[in-house]
Amino acid sequence: MKATAPYPTGWLGPFMTTVKVTLQCGFPEEPQLVTLTVTYCIPGEGFIPTTQYKITSVTGVPVGCTFWPDDMREIGRKLIEQNPAKFVCGDECPFIFPQWSVGWAH
């Protein structure tokens, strides 16, 4: 399964990293640790805030595993914690607060 989003104009990337998350898989569902590939971009010049990630795709969800909004939030959390862009925060780092939205067309 693959979840994708358009690449935003003016952002840098795409970049890729991997994260490990626990998904519910099989029948009956059981937790399974899965490595997913996350494609993301970061703000180009003139974007505020400058320290943010936009996930443009998630790949590697095995057939038979569910993928829920909470899983996407966990992927966002792991990406922020991993900080592959090496963003620097001052004396105090912000709380991790991933947000996401989904859209589709016919």
Side-chain angles (χ1 to χ4, degrees), residues 23-32 64-68:
L23 300 178
Q24 295 298 317
C25 303
F27 185 79
E29 289 186 337
E30 296 205 9
Q32 179 179 330
C65 293
T66 57
F67 190 75
W68 296 103

Side-chain angles (χ1 to χ4, degrees), residues 75-90:
I75 291 166
R77 253 186 238 102
K78 299 260 177 148
L79 180 63
I80 292 167
E81 289 170 353
Q82 192 182 86
N83 192 17
K86 307 289 187 239
F87 291 133
V88 178
C89 52

Side-chain angles (χ1 to χ4, degrees), residues 7-46:
Y7 185 84
T9 303
W11 287 64
L12 306 176
F15 303 105
M16 294 174 80
T17 192
T18 58
V19 296
K20 291 185 179 191
V21 295
T22 301
L23 300 178
Q24 295 298 317
C25 303
F27 185 79
E29 289 186 337
E30 296 205 9
Q32 179 179 330
L33 188 62
V34 176
T35 300
L36 302 175
T37 300
V38 178
T39 304
Y40 65 92
C41 50
I42 58 175
E45 190 173 320

